[in-house]
Amino acid sequence: MSESQCRRVVAETRIAACAATAAGEVFPTLLWQHRQFAQAVLRLAGLADRAEGEDLQQLTNELLALIHVLNEAL
């Protein structure tokens, strides 16, 4: 995956995590764990913003895996 593709994935996973966090505010029945998981995705996206090269690729792969798990849980 190119750097620009990685940056796009980071941006899109951040949007998805923000949506999950907002849903937790609107729907109190959303598990606290899901909201915390979304916050972890946001923190990882912050790290990816500062990463380059192989580190960026690895963080992007981890973000994709985390957001997949979050979406499955919701």
Side-chain angles (χ1 to χ4, degrees):
M1 195 178 314
S2 72
E3 181 173 346
S4 64
Q5 290 171 319
C6 287
R7 300 284 179 207
R8 182 176 178 100
V9 167
V10 170
E12 289 176 1
T13 56
R14 178 178 283 111
I15 291 167
C18 287
T21 302
E25 298 299 322
V26 174
F27 302 105
T29 56
L30 188 63
L31 291 176
W32 176 84
Q33 294 168 330
H34 295 153
R35 293 192 304 255
Q36 292 301 309
F37 197 82
Q39 290 296 322
V41 170
L42 291 172
R43 287 191 296 274
L44 188 58
L47 291 174
D49 284 339
R50 295 184 299 277
E52 295 179 5
E54 186 61 34
D55 290 338
L56 174 60
Q57 182 68 43
Q58 181 64 33
L59 288 169
T60 301
N61 291 337
E62 290 176 17
L63 277 169
L64 287 171
L66 287 173
I67 206 69
H68 176 74
V69 170
L70 180 60
N71 285 336
E72 290 293 318
L74 296 175

